[in-house]
Amino acid sequence: KESMRKTSKYTEKDWENIKADSHAIYTGFVSNMDKEVSHETVQDLVKQWQNHISTYFYQCNDEILSGLGQMYVADERFTKNIDIYKDGLAQFISDAIDYYCENK
């Protein structure tokens, strides 16, 4: 409900900004796939992703974030969409989210 309430008010420009923000985070992850998921830069990207979801869609607490991370690899539709950026990205983000949620 929260997501529908928020997104129903977005303009075309809002959606462009949201897409640009998510693209920047995804490409940030891609640029750091050579690092361990525990690396500070990778963990900062997870926090940025969590904030992105909370800002634009719904309050994304750690429990929800953890579930999303699992869904990114369990649901092939999510994996396919995320891996457009680079093969293995969905798994990398999922692993980074797991680390983030377990080590806060």
Side-chain angles (χ1 to χ4, degrees), residues 22-84:
S22 65
H23 177 76
I25 297 168
Y26 279 134
T27 58
F29 276 118
V30 168
S31 296
N32 288 281
M33 286 178 72
D34 61 331
K35 296 178 176 66
E36 295 292 326
V37 296
S38 60
H39 192 278
E40 181 180 345
T41 302
V42 176
Q43 289 299 293
D44 184 58
L45 287 161
V46 173
K47 183 64 176 167
Q48 288 178 44
W49 187 243
Q50 186 178 37
N51 289 339
H52 172 84
I53 295 167
S54 291
T55 299
Y56 295 114
F57 300 102
Y58 50 84
Q59 189 58 42
C60 183
N61 61 31
D62 291 349
E63 182 180 353
I64 291 171
L65 182 66
S66 178
L68 287 172
Q70 293 170 18
M71 189 170 53
Y72 294 162
V73 293
D75 186 326
E76 65 185 39
R77 296 169 297 177
F78 281 92
T79 304
K80 182 179 176 182
N81 285 329
I82 295 170
D83 281 359
I84 287 171

